[in-house]
Amino acid sequence: QVQLVESGGGSVQAGGSLRLSCAASGDTYSLASMAWFRQAPGKEREGVAGLDNYGRTRYGDFVNGRFTISKDNAKNTLYLQMNSLKPEDTAMYYCASERRVLGVRLLMGNEYRYWGQGTQVTVSS
């Protein structure tokens, strides 16, 4: 069993920054690959950033260097530093984990069994 709890969401103005956290607990083997996804109302879920078993990262095309995914293994916590936020970044953000997800699959939601409840990010213009 794995539990994922996101935090750090909120409301910011365009150009601002937020850092999301995802506190993980449970079967550590299932925390080896982790990722952030988001879903805006009326839109499909999309992969934001992923971190695989070997520490390699992958980002959605829309990120364009604005976000950074990282993980503190000692704390079992995943982070997403988001800078230069835009109104189109407004969405519910979720973290997900799985034992082994590599390459382009890092940003595919159906690769992950474990999901958090989400944290809302709202960016105003």
Side-chain angles (χ1 to χ4, degrees), residues 2 8 13 16 21-22 24 29 32 34 36 38 51 57 61-62 72 74 84 88-90 93 110 118-119 122 125:
V2 170
Q13 291 191 327
S21 299
C22 174
Y29 290 105
M34 298 188 75
W36 289 97
R38 71 184 188 183
L51 182 66
T57 59
D61 291 341
F62 57 87
D72 185 331
S84 301
E88 50 264 44
D89 294 318
T90 295
Y93 283 70
N110 57 7
T119 186
T122 303
S125 58

Side-chain angles (χ1 to χ4, degrees), residues 5-6 10 17 19 24 26 31-34 40 74 76 96 98 104 123-124:
V5 180
E6 302 95 335
S17 298
R19 188 176 82 154
L31 302 176
S33 292
M34 298 188 75
N76 277 341
E98 187 50 79
V104 295
V123 185
S124 59

